Amino acid sequence: MGAYFTIASGRLTGNQATLSLSSIPTTYKHLELRIKARGQTGEPTGFGNLVFYFNTSTGGSIYPRQNYGTYDTSVYFAYLDNADNMTVTFYSRGGVPAYFSGGSVLSILNYKETNKGKVVRGFGGVAGSTAANSLSGGSGGYWESSAGSAINAITITPDQSGFGAGTTFSLYGIKDS
């Protein structure tokens, strides 16, 4: 890969329902999103999924695949064709101690191309209070816009109540070397 340039980054100081990154410039070859996420207090203990929407995800189709395993040796595989969102990473729900967070990296290849689909791959892990709610896994997918548009916005929503304080994120643009 080439050189990385920060497009956006931040740390939440309070609870927030979603995280939206917009006005993403088309001056890079690929994007990489790094996120260390916590859920809000009062959620069930364990892990949750982060759900990603590209642009508005209307007029497009996502073909995701997800493969992960817990540290108690359970292994899971899931897929859903023609969805409007993609679940590719994990976060630590609010019921676990504050020092537990889910860390994930999401790569979006050829995000600015208008004449072909975008390949998305992610890897994440979360440490919970037991082996059964600690896991790591990888996911991937293919996003196809019927409008033939570049990805210019990403919205991330936890599958429970929202992001908790202390969640950090960074979006990078990657240029060819």
Side-chain angles (χ1 to χ4, degrees):
M1 288 274 182
Y4 283 63
F5 298 88
T6 303
I7 297 172
S9 65
R11 178 183 175 89
L12 302 183
T13 57
N15 292 339
Q16 188 169 315
T18 63
L19 180 61
S20 296
L21 304 166
S22 60
S23 301
I24 298 171
T26 57
T27 53
Y28 306 101
K29 178 82 173 162
H30 308 296
L31 297 174
E32 184 172 288
L33 176 65
R34 299 176 189 176
I35 189 163
K36 184 177 143 190
R38 284 196 49 75
Q40 296 178 5
T41 305
E43 291 181 340
T45 299
F47 64 89
N49 293 305
L50 297 179
V51 181
F52 291 81
Y53 297 88
F54 301 118
N55 298 344
T56 59
S57 289
T58 58
S61 295
I62 297 178
Y63 303 92
R65 303 289 185 261
Q66 186 176 34
N67 186 13
Y68 61 94
T70 62
Y71 293 115
D72 68 352
T73 69
S74 300
V75 177
Y76 304 92
F77 179 77
Y79 69 92
L80 177 64
D81 285 338
N82 205 20
D84 69 347
N85 64 68
M86 179 176 276
T87 302
V88 293
T89 55
F90 311 104
Y91 74 101
S92 178
R93 290 193 176 149
V96 298
Y99 50 85
F100 288 119
S101 293
S104 300
V105 177
L106 179 73
S107 299
I108 306 168
L109 308 180
N110 300 315
Y111 78 101
K112 70 178 181 176
E113 298 297 328
T114 58
N115 61 349
K116 61 182 173 180
K118 287 71 169 162
V119 173
V120 181
R121 61 184 181 204
F123 186 81
V126 61
S129 55
T130 69
N133 61 28
S134 299
L135 69 118
S136 64
S139 300
Y142 175 81
W143 184 74
E144 187 176 87
S145 168
S146 60
S149 59
I151 293 175
N152 57 26
I154 303 169
T155 302
I156 311 155
T157 305
D159 64 354
Q160 293 289 318
S161 58
F163 290 106
T167 295
T168 60
F169 66 92
S170 296
L171 178 65
Y172 298 97
I174 305 170
K175 288 190 175 183
D176 285 335
S177 344

